[in-house]
Amino acid sequence: MRFRDRRQAGRELAARLRERQAAGDLPDPLVLALPRGGVAVAAEVAEALGAPLDVLVVRKVGAPRHEEYGVGAMAGDGVPVFDEDALRGLGLTRDDLAPVVERERTELVRRER
């Protein structure tokens, strides 16, 4: 493995980003983390840059009967974003995915709480 753990990965990323910050390329950074693995990385980056850290809870919208094949994603109470090419390729419409979106929205709200 290249990194011992996610915190080490965050420290290495932070070192590179500090160089950009010193050069003026990151005047007002904000660090967003995805739960499960990204928070440990992002915490190291935010601390090193002196930047605020926030967590963005997202959910994948999987294809019916093939849930691991993501055809869209959603965050907060926003409208889902779909991969239109994937929908066309599978012969799906947004309406076909309404039950999946509703289930994922329920889980998204639970995780945000």
Side-chain angles (χ1 to χ4, degrees), residues 1-2 7-8 10 20 22-23 26 29-30 33 38 40 43 47 60 71 74 76 80 84 93 96 99 101 110:
M1 287 186 76
R2 178 173 173 163
R7 291 185 63 207
Q8 179 194 10
R20 294 193 57 193
L26 301 173
L30 167 66
E47 183 177 336
K60 171 178 59 180
V71 295
M74 52 204 264
E84 298 297 337
T93 67
D96 295 332
V101 168
R110 185 190 74 76

Side-chain angles (χ1 to χ4, degrees), residues 40-85:
V41 175
E44 296 290 332
V45 172
E47 183 177 336
L49 298 180
L53 169 65
D54 201 354
V55 176
L56 181 63
V57 181
V58 297
R59 292 296 292 170
K60 171 178 59 180
V61 177
R65 297 174 304 283
H66 302 283
E67 292 79 20
E68 288 304 312
Y69 180 42
V71 295
M74 52 204 264
D77 59 358
V79 176
V81 176
F82 293 102
D83 178 339
E84 298 297 337
D85 290 335

Side-chain angles (χ1 to χ4, degrees), residues 96-107:
D96 295 332
L97 295 168
V100 177
V101 168
E102 184 59 33
R103 184 180 66 241
E104 295 302 335
R105 172 96 50 221
T106 299
E107 180 61 15

